[in-house]
Amino acid sequence: SNNSSSNNSSSNNSSSNNSSSNRSSSNPGDLLVLGDFRAAQRVCLQLRLSPNSSNSSSGNDNLPGTYAPAAAATDDAGDVVYVWLVNTHLDHAAPTIRARQMQAICGWMESLKQGCAGIILTGDLNAPPEEQVHATLAEHGFMSTHKVCHRTV
């Protein structure tokens, strides 16, 4: 079995508030460039929490609510939440470069934590689980979906 993390997904849940700053996905700030390397890009998703999960066709009726794009919601019921989706592809050759890239990405997302329901980080970390990249994510409040699903956290 290969321990490298080629398709990783991590999430960071933050308390939701009504702040609307930094939510436009067309801002130049939605692309993180380090030197001449595009380290990450992000987009903010606006979702409406539906108070009624019985209309869910996913078979997950035990969930407390369902998510739908806010623009698709036809009624005023349910709260709107914001979730940032961040994608990255870290350096493949050097752990020290990957560590600096992840530190920059986490710093880049820090100011957005308070204005959203969560941050989902996806991409190719090019890093085995014991590498500093994963520790940096944990230090910034991100959880490994692999570890959570396999109950190793």
Side-chain angles (χ1 to χ4, degrees), residues 66-102:
T66 58
Y67 291 92
T74 57
D75 61 11
D76 291 332
D79 294 326
V80 172
V81 296
Y82 298 90
V83 176
W84 281 97
L85 179 60
V86 182
N87 186 59
T88 189
H89 191 160
L90 300 182
D91 185 78
H92 71 282
T96 56
I97 292 173
R98 285 191 293 275
R100 286 194 312 261
Q101 288 172 326
M102 186 53 64

PDB file of all heavy atoms in Angstrom, residues 66-102:
ATOM      1  N   THR A  66     -30.442  19.348   4.580  1.00  0.00           N
ATOM      2  CA  THR A  66     -29.827  19.105   3.285  1.00  0.00           C
ATOM      3  C   THR A  66     -29.268  20.413   2.760  1.00  0.00           C
ATOM      4  O   THR A  66     -29.676  21.490   3.179  1.00  0.00           O
ATOM      5  CB  THR A  66     -30.842  18.536   2.276  1.00  0.00           C
ATOM      6  OG1 THR A  66     -31.926  19.465   2.169  1.00  0.00           O
ATOM      7  CG2 THR A  66     -31.369  17.190   2.721  1.00  0.00           C
ATOM      8  N   TYR A  67     -28.340  20.315   1.845  1.00  0.00           N
ATOM      9  CA  TYR A  67     -27.736  21.493   1.243  1.00  0.00           C
ATOM     10  C   TYR A  67     -28.192  21.619  -0.197  1.00  0.00           C
ATOM     11  O   TYR A  67     -28.316  20.638  -0.906  1.00  0.00           O
ATOM     12  CB  TYR A  67     -26.208  21.397   1.260  1.00  0.00           C
ATOM     13  CG  TYR A  67     -25.612  21.495   2.635  1.00  0.00           C
ATOM     14  CD1 TYR A  67     -25.360  20.362   3.384  1.00  0.00           C
ATOM     15  CD2 TYR A  67     -25.319  22.731   3.178  1.00  0.00           C
ATOM     16  CE1 TYR A  67     -24.805  20.455   4.650  1.00  0.00           C
ATOM     17  CE2 TYR A  67     -24.763  22.833   4.439  1.00  0.00           C
ATOM     18  CZ  TYR A  67     -24.509  21.696   5.170  1.00  0.00           C
ATOM     19  OH  TYR A  67     -23.966  21.793   6.408  1.00  0.00           O
ATOM     20  N   ALA A  68     -28.458  22.828  -0.607  1.00  0.00           N
ATOM     21  CA  ALA A  68     -28.788  23.121  -1.998  1.00  0.00           C
ATOM     22  C   ALA A  68     -28.177  24.473  -2.326  1.00  0.00           C
ATOM     23  O   ALA A  68     -28.057  25.323  -1.442  1.00  0.00           O
ATOM     24  CB  ALA A  68     -30.304  23.166  -2.186  1.00  0.00           C
ATOM     25  N   PRO A  69     -27.764  24.685  -3.567  1.00  0.00           N
ATOM     26  CA  PRO A  69     -27.274  26.030  -3.908  1.00  0.00           C
ATOM     27  C   PRO A  69     -28.328  27.072  -3.563  1.00  0.00           C
ATOM     28  O   PRO A  69     -29.511  26.870  -3.817  1.00  0.00           O
ATOM     29  CB  PRO A  69     -27.042  25.938  -5.415  1.00  0.00           C
ATOM     30  CG  PRO A  69     -26.853  24.478  -5.673  1.00  0.00           C
ATOM     31  CD  PRO A  69     -27.727  23.767  -4.682  1.00  0.00           C
ATOM     32  N   ALA A  70     -27.900  28.164  -2.954  1.00  0.00           N
ATOM     33  CA  ALA A  70     -28.858  29.175  -2.497  1.00  0.00           C
ATOM     34  C   ALA A  70     -29.702  29.711  -3.642  1.00  0.00           C
ATOM     35  O   ALA A  70     -30.877  29.998  -3.477  1.00  0.00           O
ATOM     36  CB  ALA A  70     -28.131  30.312  -1.790  1.00  0.00           C
ATOM     37  N   ALA A  71     -29.134  29.849  -4.822  1.00  0.00           N
ATOM     38  CA  ALA A  71     -29.885  30.371  -5.957  1.00  0.00           C
ATOM     39  C   ALA A  71     -30.999  29.412  -6.385  1.00  0.00           C
ATOM     40  O   ALA A  71     -31.991  29.822  -6.960  1.00  0.00           O
ATOM     41  CB  ALA A  71     -28.948  30.621  -7.139  1.00  0.00           C
ATOM     42  N   ALA A  72     -30.841  28.129  -6.086  1.00  0.00           N
ATOM     43  CA  ALA A  72     -31.844  27.146  -6.487  1.00  0.00           C
ATOM     44  C   ALA A  72     -32.993  27.058  -5.481  1.00  0.00           C
ATOM     45  O   ALA A  72     -34.028  26.476  -5.772  1.00  0.00           O
ATOM     46  CB  ALA A  72     -31.203  25.768  -6.641  1.00  0.00           C
ATOM     47  N   ALA A  73     -32.802  27.618  -4.308  1.00  0.00           N
ATOM     48  CA  ALA A  73     -33.850  27.556  -3.291  1.00  0.00           C
ATOM     49  C   ALA A  73     -34.998  28.482  -3.675  1.00  0.00           C
ATOM     50  O   ALA A  73     -34.790  29.614  -4.066  1.00  0.00           O
ATOM     51  CB  ALA A  73     -33.277  27.952  -1.939  1.00  0.00           C
ATOM     52  N   THR A  74     -36.220  27.972  -3.559  1.00  0.00           N
ATOM     53  CA  THR A  74     -37.378  28.756  -3.977  1.00  0.00           C
ATOM     54  C   THR A  74     -38.126  29.376  -2.811  1.00  0.00           C
ATOM     55  O   THR A  74     -38.971  30.221  -3.015  1.00  0.00           O
ATOM     56  CB  THR A  74     -38.349  27.878  -4.786  1.00  0.00           C
ATOM     57  OG1 THR A  74     -38.730  26.760  -3.982  1.00  0.00           O
ATOM     58  CG2 THR A  74     -37.694  27.403  -6.066  1.00  0.00           C
ATOM     59  N   ASP A  75     -37.847  28.945  -1.601  1.00  0.00           N
ATOM     60  CA  ASP A  75     -38.548  29.529  -0.458  1.00  0.00           C
ATOM     61  C   ASP A  75     -37.546  30.245   0.434  1.00  0.00           C
ATOM     62  O   ASP A  75     -36.342  30.148   0.242  1.00  0.00           O
ATOM     63  CB  ASP A  75     -39.313  28.457   0.316  1.00  0.00           C
ATOM     64  CG  ASP A  75     -38.389  27.381   0.877  1.00  0.00           C
ATOM     65  OD1 ASP A  75     -37.144  27.562   0.857  1.00  0.00           O
ATOM     66  OD2 ASP A  75     -38.901  26.368   1.338  1.00  0.00           O
ATOM     67  N   ASP A  76     -38.055  30.963   1.417  1.00  0.00           N
ATOM     68  CA  ASP A  76     -37.197  31.716   2.310  1.00  0.00           C
ATOM     69  C   ASP A  76     -36.783  30.914   3.533  1.00  0.00           C
ATOM     70  O   ASP A  76     -36.092  31.425   4.396  1.00  0.00           O
ATOM     71  CB  ASP A  76     -37.903  33.000   2.760  1.00  0.00           C
ATOM     72  CG  ASP A  76     -38.044  33.975   1.601  1.00  0.00           C
ATOM     73  OD1 ASP A  76     -37.203  33.923   0.687  1.00  0.00           O
ATOM     74  OD2 ASP A  76     -38.999  34.765   1.618  1.00  0.00           O
ATOM     75  N   ALA A  77     -37.248  29.658   3.632  1.00  0.00           N
ATOM     76  CA  ALA A  77     -36.908  28.834   4.787  1.00  0.00           C
ATOM     77  C   ALA A  77     -35.463  28.374   4.685  1.00  0.00           C
ATOM     78  O   ALA A  77     -34.961  28.083   3.615  1.00  0.00           O
ATOM     79  CB  ALA A  77     -37.832  27.630   4.856  1.00  0.00           C
ATOM     80  N   GLY A  78     -34.808  28.292   5.808  1.00  0.00           N
ATOM     81  CA  GLY A  78     -33.438  27.805   5.839  1.00  0.00           C
ATOM     82  C   GLY A  78     -32.431  28.938   5.854  1.00  0.00           C
ATOM     83  O   GLY A  78     -32.678  30.019   5.342  1.00  0.00           O
ATOM     84  N   ASP A  79     -31.302  28.679   6.454  1.00  0.00           N
ATOM     85  CA  ASP A  79     -30.224  29.655   6.558  1.00  0.00           C
ATOM     86  C   ASP A  79     -29.255  29.490   5.397  1.00  0.00           C
ATOM     87  O   ASP A  79     -29.046  28.401   4.896  1.00  0.00           O
ATOM     88  CB  ASP A  79     -29.460  29.451   7.868  1.00  0.00           C
ATOM     89  CG  ASP A  79     -30.315  29.752   9.085  1.00  0.00           C
ATOM     90  OD1 ASP A  79     -31.168  30.653   9.001  1.00  0.00           O
ATOM     91  OD2 ASP A  79     -30.122  29.078  10.109  1.00  0.00           O
ATOM     92  N   VAL A  80     -28.658  30.586   4.990  1.00  0.00           N
ATOM     93  CA  VAL A  80     -27.620  30.545   3.965  1.00  0.00           C
ATOM     94  C   VAL A  80     -26.277  30.461   4.679  1.00  0.00           C
ATOM     95  O   VAL A  80     -26.024  31.184   5.638  1.00  0.00           O
ATOM     96  CB  VAL A  80     -27.672  31.797   3.064  1.00  0.00           C
ATOM     97  CG1 VAL A  80     -26.473  31.834   2.126  1.00  0.00           C
ATOM     98  CG2 VAL A  80     -28.963  31.818   2.275  1.00  0.00           C
ATOM     99  N   VAL A  81     -25.426  29.551   4.228  1.00  0.00           N
ATOM    100  CA  VAL A  81     -24.080  29.406   4.770  1.00  0.00           C
ATOM    101  C   VAL A  81     -23.083  29.511   3.624  1.00  0.00           C
ATOM    102  O   VAL A  81     -23.429  29.296   2.459  1.00  0.00           O
ATOM    103  CB  VAL A  81     -23.889  28.073   5.526  1.00  0.00           C
ATOM    104  CG1 VAL A  81     -24.780  28.004   6.748  1.00  0.00           C
ATOM    105  CG2 VAL A  81     -24.109  26.886   4.622  1.00  0.00           C
ATOM    106  N   TYR A  82     -21.858  29.835   3.970  1.00  0.00           N
ATOM    107  CA  TYR A  82     -20.794  29.961   2.990  1.00  0.00           C
ATOM    108  C   TYR A  82     -19.712  28.934   3.295  1.00  0.00           C
ATOM    109  O   TYR A  82     -19.307  28.774   4.445  1.00  0.00           O
ATOM    110  CB  TYR A  82     -20.204  31.374   3.022  1.00  0.00           C
ATOM    111  CG  TYR A  82     -21.240  32.405   2.667  1.00  0.00           C
ATOM    112  CD1 TYR A  82     -22.021  32.999   3.649  1.00  0.00           C
ATOM    113  CD2 TYR A  82     -21.468  32.759   1.340  1.00  0.00           C
ATOM    114  CE1 TYR A  82     -22.994  33.927   3.324  1.00  0.00           C
ATOM    115  CE2 TYR A  82     -22.439  33.677   1.009  1.00  0.00           C
ATOM    116  CZ  TYR A  82     -23.203  34.261   2.004  1.00  0.00           C
ATOM    117  OH  TYR A  82     -24.169  35.165   1.667  1.00  0.00           O
ATOM    118  N   VAL A  83     -19.269  28.240   2.255  1.00  0.00           N
ATOM    119  CA  VAL A  83     -18.212  27.242   2.376  1.00  0.00           C
ATOM    120  C   VAL A  83     -17.156  27.563   1.322  1.00  0.00           C
ATOM    121  O   VAL A  83     -17.480  27.750   0.147  1.00  0.00           O
ATOM    122  CB  VAL A  83     -18.758  25.811   2.157  1.00  0.00           C
ATOM    123  CG1 VAL A  83     -17.638  24.791   2.187  1.00  0.00           C
ATOM    124  CG2 VAL A  83     -19.836  25.476   3.176  1.00  0.00           C
ATOM    125  N   TRP A  84     -15.912  27.651   1.745  1.00  0.00           N
ATOM    126  CA  TRP A  84     -14.820  27.877   0.805  1.00  0.00           C
ATOM    127  C   TRP A  84     -14.300  26.537   0.312  1.00  0.00           C
ATOM    128  O   TRP A  84     -14.047  25.628   1.100  1.00  0.00           O
ATOM    129  CB  TRP A  84     -13.687  28.648   1.473  1.00  0.00           C
ATOM    130  CG  TRP A  84     -13.968  30.113   1.563  1.00  0.00           C
ATOM    131  CD1 TRP A  84     -14.475  30.784   2.635  1.00  0.00           C
ATOM    132  CD2 TRP A  84     -13.784  31.077   0.535  1.00  0.00           C
ATOM    133  NE1 TRP A  84     -14.608  32.116   2.332  1.00  0.00           N
ATOM    134  CE2 TRP A  84     -14.190  32.322   1.054  1.00  0.00           C
ATOM    135  CE3 TRP A  84     -13.307  31.023  -0.772  1.00  0.00           C
ATOM    136  CZ2 TRP A  84     -14.132  33.496   0.311  1.00  0.00           C
ATOM    137  CZ3 TRP A  84     -13.251  32.187  -1.527  1.00  0.00           C
ATOM    138  CH2 TRP A  84     -13.662  33.404  -0.980  1.00  0.00           C
ATOM    139  N   LEU A  85     -14.128  26.430  -0.980  1.00  0.00           N
ATOM    140  CA  LEU A  85     -13.516  25.268  -1.611  1.00  0.00           C
ATOM    141  C   LEU A  85     -12.149  25.713  -2.127  1.00  0.00           C
ATOM    142  O   LEU A  85     -12.057  26.650  -2.928  1.00  0.00           O
ATOM    143  CB  LEU A  85     -14.390  24.754  -2.759  1.00  0.00           C
ATOM    144  CG  LEU A  85     -13.867  23.560  -3.532  1.00  0.00           C
ATOM    145  CD1 LEU A  85     -13.675  22.358  -2.616  1.00  0.00           C
ATOM    146  CD2 LEU A  85     -14.836  23.215  -4.654  1.00  0.00           C
ATOM    147  N   VAL A  86     -11.095  25.070  -1.634  1.00  0.00           N
ATOM    148  CA  VAL A  86      -9.720  25.433  -1.977  1.00  0.00           C
ATOM    149  C   VAL A  86      -9.076  24.222  -2.636  1.00  0.00           C
ATOM    150  O   VAL A  86      -9.205  23.097  -2.151  1.00  0.00           O
ATOM    151  CB  VAL A  86      -8.915  25.820  -0.715  1.00  0.00           C
ATOM    152  CG1 VAL A  86      -7.501  26.243  -1.070  1.00  0.00           C
ATOM    153  CG2 VAL A  86      -9.627  26.912   0.065  1.00  0.00           C
ATOM    154  N   ASN A  87      -8.384  24.449  -3.740  1.00  0.00           N
ATOM    155  CA  ASN A  87      -7.688  23.368  -4.430  1.00  0.00           C
ATOM    156  C   ASN A  87      -6.207  23.724  -4.558  1.00  0.00           C
ATOM    157  O   ASN A  87      -5.861  24.869  -4.828  1.00  0.00           O
ATOM    158  CB  ASN A  87      -8.287  23.143  -5.822  1.00  0.00           C
ATOM    159  CG  ASN A  87      -7.672  21.937  -6.491  1.00  0.00           C
ATOM    160  OD1 ASN A  87      -7.745  20.828  -5.976  1.00  0.00           O
ATOM    161  ND2 ASN A  87      -7.057  22.157  -7.625  1.00  0.00           N
ATOM    162  N   THR A  88      -5.353  22.727  -4.355  1.00  0.00           N
ATOM    163  CA  THR A  88      -3.917  22.948  -4.449  1.00  0.00           C
ATOM    164  C   THR A  88      -3.227  21.768  -5.109  1.00  0.00           C
ATOM    165  O   THR A  88      -3.790  20.680  -5.211  1.00  0.00           O
ATOM    166  CB  THR A  88      -3.297  23.206  -3.054  1.00  0.00           C
ATOM    167  OG1 THR A  88      -1.952  23.630  -3.217  1.00  0.00           O
ATOM    168  CG2 THR A  88      -3.352  21.976  -2.174  1.00  0.00           C
ATOM    169  N   HIS A  89      -2.024  21.988  -5.555  1.00  0.00           N
ATOM    170  CA  HIS A  89      -1.129  20.937  -6.044  1.00  0.00           C
ATOM    171  C   HIS A  89       0.265  21.333  -5.572  1.00  0.00           C
ATOM    172  O   HIS A  89       0.911  22.182  -6.176  1.00  0.00           O
ATOM    173  CB  HIS A  89      -1.189  20.824  -7.563  1.00  0.00           C
ATOM    174  CG  HIS A  89      -0.487  19.602  -8.067  1.00  0.00           C
ATOM    175  ND1 HIS A  89      -0.748  19.086  -9.309  1.00  0.00           N
ATOM    176  CD2 HIS A  89       0.446  18.794  -7.523  1.00  0.00           C
ATOM    177  CE1 HIS A  89       0.007  18.009  -9.502  1.00  0.00           C
ATOM    178  NE2 HIS A  89       0.749  17.828  -8.425  1.00  0.00           N
ATOM    179  N   LEU A  90       0.699  20.704  -4.480  1.00  0.00           N
ATOM    180  CA  LEU A  90       1.970  21.078  -3.876  1.00  0.00           C
ATOM    181  C   LEU A  90       3.151  20.489  -4.630  1.00  0.00           C
ATOM    182  O   LEU A  90       3.014  19.510  -5.367  1.00  0.00           O
ATOM    183  CB  LEU A  90       2.012  20.625  -2.408  1.00  0.00           C
ATOM    184  CG  LEU A  90       0.933  21.197  -1.489  1.00  0.00           C
ATOM    185  CD1 LEU A  90       1.144  20.705  -0.064  1.00  0.00           C
ATOM    186  CD2 LEU A  90       0.876  22.703  -1.542  1.00  0.00           C
ATOM    187  N   ASP A  91       4.318  21.069  -4.394  1.00  0.00           N
ATOM    188  CA  ASP A  91       5.562  20.641  -5.033  1.00  0.00           C
ATOM    189  C   ASP A  91       5.765  19.138  -4.851  1.00  0.00           C
ATOM    190  O   ASP A  91       5.538  18.595  -3.773  1.00  0.00           O
ATOM    191  CB  ASP A  91       6.738  21.404  -4.414  1.00  0.00           C
ATOM    192  CG  ASP A  91       8.045  21.106  -5.097  1.00  0.00           C
ATOM    193  OD1 ASP A  91       8.275  21.673  -6.183  1.00  0.00           O
ATOM    194  OD2 ASP A  91       8.818  20.289  -4.554  1.00  0.00           O
ATOM    195  N   HIS A  92       6.216  18.477  -5.892  1.00  0.00           N
ATOM    196  CA  HIS A  92       6.378  17.021  -5.839  1.00  0.00           C
ATOM    197  C   HIS A  92       7.751  16.579  -5.348  1.00  0.00           C
ATOM    198  O   HIS A  92       7.927  15.432  -4.963  1.00  0.00           O
ATOM    199  CB  HIS A  92       6.117  16.411  -7.222  1.00  0.00           C
ATOM    200  CG  HIS A  92       7.192  16.717  -8.216  1.00  0.00           C
ATOM    201  ND1 HIS A  92       7.280  17.937  -8.842  1.00  0.00           N
ATOM    202  CD2 HIS A  92       8.236  15.982  -8.650  1.00  0.00           C
ATOM    203  CE1 HIS A  92       8.331  17.927  -9.649  1.00  0.00           C
ATOM    204  NE2 HIS A  92       8.929  16.763  -9.552  1.00  0.00           N
ATOM    205  N   ALA A  93       8.722  17.466  -5.326  1.00  0.00           N
ATOM    206  CA  ALA A  93      10.089  17.024  -5.080  1.00  0.00           C
ATOM    207  C   ALA A  93      10.625  17.312  -3.677  1.00  0.00           C
ATOM    208  O   ALA A  93      11.415  16.532  -3.159  1.00  0.00           O
ATOM    209  CB  ALA A  93      11.026  17.653  -6.119  1.00  0.00           C
ATOM    210  N   ALA A  94      10.237  18.419  -3.072  1.00  0.00           N
ATOM    211  CA  ALA A  94      10.919  18.852  -1.846  1.00  0.00           C
ATOM    212  C   ALA A  94       9.951  19.062  -0.679  1.00  0.00           C
ATOM    213  O   ALA A  94       9.092  19.940  -0.732  1.00  0.00           O
ATOM    214  CB  ALA A  94      11.685  20.144  -2.117  1.00  0.00           C
ATOM    215  N   PRO A  95      10.114  18.290   0.401  1.00  0.00           N
ATOM    216  CA  PRO A  95       9.259  18.460   1.586  1.00  0.00           C
ATOM    217  C   PRO A  95       9.330  19.856   2.190  1.00  0.00           C
ATOM    218  O   PRO A  95       8.326  20.363   2.685  1.00  0.00           O
ATOM    219  CB  PRO A  95       9.800  17.415   2.572  1.00  0.00           C
ATOM    220  CG  PRO A  95      10.489  16.408   1.731  1.00  0.00           C
ATOM    221  CD  PRO A  95      11.036  17.153   0.546  1.00  0.00           C
ATOM    222  N   THR A  96      10.491  20.498   2.148  1.00  0.00           N
ATOM    223  CA  THR A  96      10.598  21.840   2.729  1.00  0.00           C
ATOM    224  C   THR A  96       9.788  22.858   1.923  1.00  0.00           C
ATOM    225  O   THR A  96       9.187  23.764   2.507  1.00  0.00           O
ATOM    226  CB  THR A  96      12.068  22.300   2.808  1.00  0.00           C
ATOM    227  OG1 THR A  96      12.653  22.223   1.500  1.00  0.00           O
ATOM    228  CG2 THR A  96      12.856  21.442   3.777  1.00  0.00           C
ATOM    229  N   ILE A  97       9.755  22.697   0.618  1.00  0.00           N
ATOM    230  CA  ILE A  97       8.944  23.592  -0.217  1.00  0.00           C
ATOM    231  C   ILE A  97       7.466  23.333   0.046  1.00  0.00           C
ATOM    232  O   ILE A  97       6.681  24.272   0.190  1.00  0.00           O
ATOM    233  CB  ILE A  97       9.283  23.422  -1.712  1.00  0.00           C
ATOM    234  CG1 ILE A  97      10.703  23.929  -1.980  1.00  0.00           C
ATOM    235  CG2 ILE A  97       8.267  24.151  -2.586  1.00  0.00           C
ATOM    236  CD1 ILE A  97      11.202  23.664  -3.387  1.00  0.00           C
ATOM    237  N   ARG A  98       7.070  22.062   0.138  1.00  0.00           N
ATOM    238  CA  ARG A  98       5.665  21.734   0.438  1.00  0.00           C
ATOM    239  C   ARG A  98       5.245  22.324   1.773  1.00  0.00           C
ATOM    240  O   ARG A  98       4.142  22.857   1.908  1.00  0.00           O
ATOM    241  CB  ARG A  98       5.451  20.217   0.445  1.00  0.00           C
ATOM    242  CG  ARG A  98       5.424  19.595  -0.918  1.00  0.00           C
ATOM    243  CD  ARG A  98       4.949  18.166  -0.861  1.00  0.00           C
ATOM    244  NE  ARG A  98       5.855  17.268  -0.170  1.00  0.00           N
ATOM    245  CZ  ARG A  98       6.900  16.666  -0.744  1.00  0.00           C
ATOM    246  NH1 ARG A  98       7.180  16.878  -2.013  1.00  0.00           N
ATOM    247  NH2 ARG A  98       7.663  15.840  -0.037  1.00  0.00           N
ATOM    248  N   ALA A  99       6.118  22.248   2.768  1.00  0.00           N
ATOM    249  CA  ALA A  99       5.792  22.794   4.088  1.00  0.00           C
ATOM    250  C   ALA A  99       5.564  24.300   4.007  1.00  0.00           C
ATOM    251  O   ALA A  99       4.604  24.819   4.592  1.00  0.00           O
ATOM    252  CB  ALA A  99       6.914  22.474   5.082  1.00  0.00           C
ATOM    253  N   ARG A 100       6.429  25.019   3.266  1.00  0.00           N
ATOM    254  CA  ARG A 100       6.251  26.471   3.106  1.00  0.00           C
ATOM    255  C   ARG A 100       4.977  26.778   2.326  1.00  0.00           C
ATOM    256  O   ARG A 100       4.261  27.734   2.648  1.00  0.00           O
ATOM    257  CB  ARG A 100       7.474  27.083   2.426  1.00  0.00           C
ATOM    258  CG  ARG A 100       8.686  27.170   3.324  1.00  0.00           C
ATOM    259  CD  ARG A 100       9.768  28.076   2.775  1.00  0.00           C
ATOM    260  NE  ARG A 100      10.100  27.846   1.386  1.00  0.00           N
ATOM    261  CZ  ARG A 100      11.135  27.130   0.944  1.00  0.00           C
ATOM    262  NH1 ARG A 100      11.948  26.571   1.820  1.00  0.00           N
ATOM    263  NH2 ARG A 100      11.368  26.992  -0.342  1.00  0.00           N
ATOM    264  N   GLN A 101       4.682  25.979   1.290  1.00  0.00           N
ATOM    265  CA  GLN A 101       3.466  26.202   0.518  1.00  0.00           C
ATOM    266  C   GLN A 101       2.230  26.026   1.389  1.00  0.00           C
ATOM    267  O   GLN A 101       1.308  26.844   1.346  1.00  0.00           O
ATOM    268  CB  GLN A 101       3.402  25.232  -0.673  1.00  0.00           C
ATOM    269  CG  GLN A 101       4.382  25.540  -1.770  1.00  0.00           C
ATOM    270  CD  GLN A 101       4.409  24.452  -2.833  1.00  0.00           C
ATOM    271  OE1 GLN A 101       4.234  23.263  -2.557  1.00  0.00           O
ATOM    272  NE2 GLN A 101       4.632  24.871  -4.073  1.00  0.00           N
ATOM    273  N   MET A 102       2.202  24.965   2.213  1.00  0.00           N
ATOM    274  CA  MET A 102       1.023  24.726   3.052  1.00  0.00           C
ATOM    275  C   MET A 102       0.880  25.803   4.112  1.00  0.00           C
ATOM    276  O   MET A 102      -0.229  26.242   4.418  1.00  0.00           O
ATOM    277  CB  MET A 102       1.085  23.338   3.690  1.00  0.00           C
ATOM    278  CG  MET A 102      -0.188  22.991   4.439  1.00  0.00           C
ATOM    279  SD  MET A 102      -1.713  23.188   3.457  1.00  0.00           S
ATOM    280  CE  MET A 102      -1.461  21.948   2.193  1.00  0.00           C
TER     281      MET A 102
END
